[in-house]
Amino acid sequence: MVNVQYRKEYSPALGRDMEYKVYGHRGKPMLVFPTSLGRFYQYEDSGMIDELAEWIDAGKLQVWACDTLDEETFFSPHWNIQDRIGRHEQYDAYIVQELIPGILHESRHNNGGHEQKILISGCSMGAYYSGNFFFRHPQYFDTLLALSGVYSVNHFFGGYREGAVYYNSPLDYLPGLTDDWRLEQYRRSRIVICCGQGEWEDEMREETARLGEVLYNKVIPARLDFWGYDVHHDWHWWRKQVRYYMQDLL
């Protein structure tokens, strides 16, 4: 039986309470994001925790499933672009300055003082989040598992790339990146980027391929997988994929 903890904490960066769940008692820390407009309990409700249960129960993996603010940021029907991306930058501060330090502190305590970096992951919109956080803040992560994601902000902001919008669009900021320290962090990490080739995967397949080209040109090792034409954009396949890849990542 997987140990589950529900938590609700006030975020100074966001000025509101944020909820999340923690699964397991020790092991590799894993941070997961929901799909578009999803909640922190979606990962569990969609069967992903069940797929990871053997590693969680064995103390090899501990999972943090967080919330997003999609309705105020990327999917807001009311706010203008600057307000939306500004709110996302506040969300970035919440993840990086509040949630991640807590994860690392707890993980260190639960693993006898052993320091570990985070495995970051998500499906669909969660894959965008995990990829963007991984590339923007590589000091915290050593593993990326992104399933069926987009890696630009085309879908949300069209061709607009001013200010912070640019720095949240990996397919825009990565090609020109020359920071040797960042590039070395990526090269030391394990990167798995996957999508299907079936229904509702066209945009994801195109951007996954483009990201693969960018990483190849930067000499960043990454595993790019394109599953079959019967593999659709849904939890049925993401459950299979997370189990398949986790066998190699843990």
Side-chain angles (χ1 to χ4, degrees):
M1 177 68 72
V2 171
N3 178 57
V4 184
Q5 300 177 54
Y6 162 79
R7 298 178 186 174
K8 183 177 182 179
E9 299 170 352
Y10 180 77
S11 165
L14 296 173
R16 55 165 284 181
D17 290 330
M18 292 295 287
E19 298 170 278
Y20 62 96
K21 278 189 169 184
V22 184
Y23 305 87
H25 56 286
R26 61 184 173 88
K28 179 72 173 175
M30 179 179 182
L31 173 61
V32 298
F33 296 83
T35 64
S36 54
L37 300 170
R39 296 296 310 279
F40 66 97
Y41 45 77
Q42 182 194 53
Y43 205 74
E44 177 184 356
D45 290 354
S46 300
M48 299 294 272
I49 294 298
D50 287 341
E51 294 297 332
L52 299 174
E54 67 178 81
W55 293 288
I56 297 173
D57 284 339
K60 296 180 179 179
L61 184 69
Q62 190 170 19
V63 181
W64 278 256
C66 67
D67 250 341
T68 60
L69 297 179
D70 283 347
E71 70 282 356
E72 300 176 23
T73 57
F74 295 106
F75 292 91
S76 171
H78 307 297
W79 295 10
N80 64 41
I81 290 177
Q82 291 305 320
D83 288 341
R84 290 160 63 195
I85 200 64
R87 187 59 166 163
H88 173 71
E89 286 295 281
Q90 293 175 338
Y91 177 72
D92 182 278
Y94 159 69
I95 293 293
V96 174
Q97 299 173 19
E98 299 173 20
L99 185 60
I100 285 178
I103 291 173
L104 295 175
H105 175 79
E106 186 169 348
S107 175
R108 184 168 55 248
H109 177 269
N110 292 344
N111 291 282
H114 178 53
E115 300 274 358
Q116 296 186 82
K117 288 190 174 184
I118 296 169
L119 188 167
I120 190 167
S121 185
C123 310
S124 190
M125 188 63 185
Y128 161 78
Y129 276 114
S130 61
N132 191 40
F133 277 105
F134 174 86
F135 291 118
R136 285 190 70 182
H137 307 286
Q139 64 269 37
Y140 299 114
F141 312 109
D142 63 5
T143 309
L144 168 64
L145 176 59
L147 306 177
S148 296
V150 296
Y151 304 101
S152 78
V153 293
N154 289 339
H155 187 80
F156 318 111
F157 303 120
Y160 188 87
R161 291 295 187 276
E162 297 299 320
V165 173
Y166 175 86
Y167 292 104
N168 284 284
S169 187
L171 284 174
D172 289 292
Y173 65 72
L174 285 176
L177 183 66
T178 58
D179 185 324
D180 289 336
W181 179 85
R182 287 181 175 273
L183 293 171
E184 187 59 29
Q185 298 304 304
Y186 305 153
R187 291 168 184 151
R188 292 179 180 177
S189 298
R190 295 170 296 176
I191 300 174
V192 178
I193 304 165
C194 165
C195 72
Q197 300 182 75
E199 291 181 317
W200 310 297
E201 288 279 65
D202 289 347
E203 185 179 9
M204 294 73 183
R205 184 173 67 246
E206 177 188 352
E207 295 210 354
T208 294
R210 287 175 57 199
L211 181 57
E213 292 177 4
V214 170
L215 298 178
Y216 177 82
N217 291 334
K218 293 291 183 182
V219 197
I220 299 169
R223 178 173 180 175
L224 245 73
D225 283 351
F226 298 89
W227 287 39
Y229 289 94
D230 61 333
V231 179
H232 309 316
H233 193 83
D234 63 37
W235 289 103
H236 169 74
W237 288 105
W238 297 330
R239 288 192 295 269
K240 291 178 180 292
Q241 290 164 355
V242 76
R243 184 172 185 83
Y244 175 79
Y245 291 115
M246 202 59 68
Q247 297 177 70
D248 293 330
L249 294 176
L250 290 181

